[in-house]
Amino acid sequence: MTQWSKNNDVLGSVNRGNAIESGLCTLCRADCKGKCETWLSSLKGRQMLYPRDFGVVTAGSGNTTHVGVSYNSLRVQGTNYGAAAGGDKAACGDCLFTDVSLETTFGNEVKTTSRVPFMTGALGSTFIAAKYWDSFAIGCALVGIPIVVGENVVGVDRASQLQDGRITSAPELERRIDTYLRYYDGYGAIIVQLNVEDARNGVAEYLAEKYGNKVVVELKWGQGAKNIGGEIEVTSLEYARFLKQRGYLVDPDPERPEVQEAFKSGSIHSFARHSRLGYTHLNSYEQVHEEFMHTVEYLRKLGFKRITLKTGSYGMEGLAMAIKFATEAKLDLLTMDGSGGGTGMSPWNMMESWGVPSILLHAKAHEYASILAAKGHKVVDMSFAGGFAKCSNIFKALALGAPYTKMVCMGRAMMIPGFLGSNIEGVLRPERREAVCGNWDKLPSTVSDLGSTAEEIFAGYHDVAQKVGKDEMQNIPYGAVAMWGLVDKLSAGLQQLLAGSRKFALDEITRGDIASANRETERETGIPFITDVQDEMAKRILNS
């Protein structure tokens, strides 16, 4: 297994835990005091693109020897002339990287526009998603990107009401949707995921009646973190019994007398709630196809004009089914989450050992999509997910899947600014600490070194104030301000890489903008080895 350094001396970042390719820790804590690259970027924004201590340092990269197949083993290609989609500025030689447009759209008949090609992973019934939702949702709405309400939100909500097995009231789901829509300005989308349990509870029907096409509905096949249904952990016997009565599998069974005694004595501390597996009654892809198409048809009859699909790191059969079925059903987006993808709760050994790693899954997705395109199909728009947090890997993912990939989905990375901003707000606004779920009593030096007020600490504070107005800032959680900072850094970094490739619009990116840094990566991804790219042209120049 590749070992990634915990320290980046150039950026001044340090991982609290074990670092992985994305630059995050394997275990990301809401109370973390820093300071990984994503954590710092939430405060400093685009300043984190550059080496620290300008004027007294020089810097040089050691990332030039690439072993194994990973996104790190792809390198970004640049060129020294041209400016695709550069417009009038290109014609007069006045282009800057800030002229690159990152706006993207996805969808079949109804298009969804995003200011930048990022979206969140599914933030569902895990308590961490609920606690920091205001920061996540308001932050995403302000920067103009989609956010996904994950599975089981209605089923685990003790305040929700069911009648004859159907939802009649869903306060938590409504809170999540309404929070995003309050600041929605036409860019992005609120996407609500439906799994087996949600279908049983009538969530789709409830959404159709209450929100209609203000929301996008997403069918859930799986995720990169696990090969079973969604899970949460609860530490209340009463709540565990409530979840079992709602129809969930709860392990251990909270209604068994011996389990109740073990909980009371302290030998059992918690219960795990599990979701059912999907399609267990089906035995072939033909049967899955029939049921899937029937489900999509039913959702359309309910009135939904935008429907998406999220699938996990299943093998090649599952990947092919997802791409073909989504294309045939004219879905609006297909998100493919590779192994290495994050989670709020999944079995750790399963996370470490199951599924197709992201780069392999994504490379085959492009291959399979190209087969359908060659047959004349309009291939479903795609979003790649599974371990993304750096602008360089976002660029590589968009290039690897071009022209089908319109978005990159990030789960854990997009949550970090919500945690960090809430912790800072809890210190600077102590009366709000409980409401925002702040974890700190005082600012750690990693924050106080930047300042003592929100205006000093957050690089994006004044940009947010400019957007919403000074008076409205009292209603904007600091986690949303931190989200602005992270997206600013990722966006500026992506603009720089695109400008270096002389692509001034996102839809100009191609697979020719990346190269494999070793032969193994070339073989697995179909991306040519770096010195083979343009070699024929180079020799033509030399022999001319």
Side-chain angles (χ1 to χ4, degrees):
M1 184 171 67
T2 302
Q3 297 295 316
W4 304 94
S5 175
K6 291 167 64 78
N7 303 316
N8 187 321
D9 187 37
V10 170
L11 297 178
S13 62
V14 181
N15 285 73
R16 178 200 57 78
N18 300 324
I20 53 177
E21 184 181 5
S22 66
L24 306 185
C25 300
T26 49
L27 186 74
C28 185
R29 297 186 58 91
D31 58 359
C32 180
K33 296 179 180 179
K35 50 181 184 174
C36 74
E37 182 178 343
T38 299
W39 191 97
L40 284 172
S41 299
S42 302
L43 302 179
K44 295 184 175 184
R46 66 183 60 199
Q47 181 184 341
M48 284 300 296
L49 293 170
Y50 300 97
R52 61 193 175 105
D53 301 333
F54 174 77
V56 294
V57 302
T58 64
S61 173
N63 187 39
T64 55
T65 302
H66 300 275
V67 179
V69 182
S70 67
Y71 270 102
N72 187 56
S73 292
L74 294 173
R75 292 191 69 87
V76 177
Q77 290 280 82
T79 185
N80 60 351
Y81 66 90
D88 293 339
K89 281 194 170 185
C92 64
D94 195 29
C95 282
L96 298 169
F97 78 85
T98 49
D99 295 318
V100 173
S101 171
L102 297 181
E103 188 172 298
T104 185
T105 61
F106 64 85
N108 193 286
E109 294 181 2
V110 178
K111 299 294 184 182
T112 298
T113 303
S114 180
R115 283 196 176 89
V116 290
F118 318 144
M119 61 185 291
T120 74
L123 305 169
S125 58
T126 55
F127 301 142
I128 202 166
K131 289 196 298 183
Y132 298 99
W133 180 261
D134 284 2
S135 290
F136 303 150
I138 295 172
C140 287
L142 291 176
V143 298
I145 65 174
I147 190 170
V148 183
V149 180
E151 60 193 352
N152 290 313
V153 169
V154 171
V156 304
D157 180 9
R158 279 185 271 198
S160 64
Q161 298 177 8
L162 282 78
Q163 184 175 344
D164 299 325
R166 295 287 181 173
I167 289 292
T168 59
S169 175
E172 175 61 16
L173 179 61
E174 291 178 20
R175 178 183 78 90
R176 296 201 190 189
I177 295 171
D178 293 343
T179 300
Y180 182 87
L181 291 178
R182 176 177 177 179
Y183 294 96
Y184 172 71
D185 64 357
Y187 289 88
I190 180 79
I191 301 173
V192 181
Q193 202 172 78
L194 307 173
N195 74 347
V196 176
E197 309 295 343
D198 297 314
R200 290 164 63 98
N201 291 334
V203 174
E205 292 82 355
Y206 185 83
L207 285 171
E209 182 176 339
K210 188 166 187 67
Y211 291 99
N213 285 296
K214 291 181 181 179
V215 302
V216 181
V217 290
E218 178 167 273
L219 297 170
K220 171 77 178 285
W221 274 12
Q223 64 188 95
K226 58 177 170 278
N227 198 17
I228 54 176
E231 303 165 285
I232 62 171
E233 182 180 88
V234 300
T235 56
S236 162
L237 177 61
E238 178 189 3
Y239 189 31
R241 295 179 71 179
F242 164 81
L243 291 172
K244 182 175 182 182
Q245 290 163 7
R246 272 277 163 99
Y248 288 107
L249 166 67
V250 180
D251 182 36
D253 185 344
E255 294 185 343
R256 288 171 53 198
E258 60 270 34
V259 170
Q260 295 178 11
E261 286 299 317
F263 182 81
K264 291 175 183 177
S265 68
S267 58
I268 291 177
H269 302 279
S270 62
F271 302 86
R273 183 234 67 199
H274 298 268
S275 301
R276 292 169 177 82
L277 295 169
Y279 295 150
T280 54
H281 59 299
L282 307 179
N283 297 301
S284 68
Y285 84 85
E286 291 92 350
Q287 292 177 337
V288 175
H289 174 265
E290 182 180 359
E291 178 146 326
F292 180 79
M293 299 303 289
H294 175 76
T295 300
V296 173
E297 180 183 5
Y298 177 70
L299 291 174
R300 295 207 189 281
K301 285 181 178 179
L302 288 177
F304 292 110
K305 295 186 181 300
R306 293 178 294 171
I307 304 170
T308 67
L309 173 64
K310 165 77 175 293
T311 190
S313 50
Y314 302 117
M316 299 306 105
E317 181 189 25
L319 178 62
M321 285 195 293
I323 296 171
K324 183 169 184 181
F325 297 176
T327 295
E328 185 177 339
K330 297 182 178 180
L331 297 193
D332 295 280
L333 190 69
L334 168 61
T335 299
M336 288 159 284
D337 189 13
S339 288
T343 181
M345 182 178 175
S346 294
W348 178 242
N349 188 251
M350 180 177 285
M351 290 186 70
E352 288 275 84
S353 57
W354 105 274
V356 183
S358 292
I359 190 170
L360 302 178
L361 187 78
H362 300 157
K364 294 300 283 188
H366 179 273
E367 178 185 338
Y368 293 169
S370 297
I371 291 173
L372 294 181
K375 294 182 176 182
H377 294 284
K378 182 183 181 297
V379 177
V380 64
D381 290 335
M382 296 180 177
S383 175
F384 284 170
F388 292 106
K390 294 182 178 180
C391 41
S392 55
N393 283 353
I394 293 171
F395 179 99
K396 295 171 188 178
L398 292 168
L400 181 65
Y404 314 110
T405 308
K406 310 300 182 182
M407 307 287 289
V408 168
C409 174
M410 291 176 279
R412 297 197 304 142
M414 288 301 214
M415 301 175 78
I416 289 173
F419 305 153
L420 175 55
S422 297
N423 290 332
I424 294 171
E425 184 168 4
V427 175
L428 300 185
R429 296 174 169 176
E431 74 281 0
R432 299 251 312 142
R433 183 175 303 166
E434 183 177 354
V436 300
C437 299
N439 293 292
W440 299 344
D441 296 320
K442 64 179 182 178
L443 297 180
S445 60
T446 46
V447 176
S448 61
D449 286 349
L450 300 175
S452 59
T453 67
E455 293 89 337
E456 295 171 338
I457 292 168
F458 296 103
Y461 184 93
H462 297 284
D463 287 331
V464 176
Q466 175 66 30
K467 181 175 178 64
V468 304
K470 194 172 183 179
D471 292 341
E472 184 62 23
M473 283 301 289
Q474 65 181 338
N475 298 317
I476 303 299
Y478 289 174
V481 180
M483 175 81 76
W484 185 287
L486 176 61
V487 171
D488 173 68
K489 179 259 190 171
L490 293 174
S491 300
L494 185 57
Q495 285 178 308
Q496 290 174 342
L497 292 167
L498 280 159
S501 296
R502 307 303 179 103
K503 304 295 175 67
F504 282 79
L506 200 68
D507 59 7
E508 295 288 343
I509 197 169
T510 71
R511 284 165 65 88
D513 293 317
I514 52 176
S516 292
N518 59 50
R519 295 292 181 182
E520 188 179 6
T521 300
E522 176 187 38
R523 183 176 66 248
E524 296 298 335
T525 64
I527 299 296
F529 184 66
I530 192 164
T531 56
D532 291 340
V533 177
Q534 301 177 343
D535 185 56
E536 184 177 337
M537 174 61 75
K539 290 173 179 174
R540 191 183 311 166
I541 292 171
L542 294 170
N543 291 317
S544 63

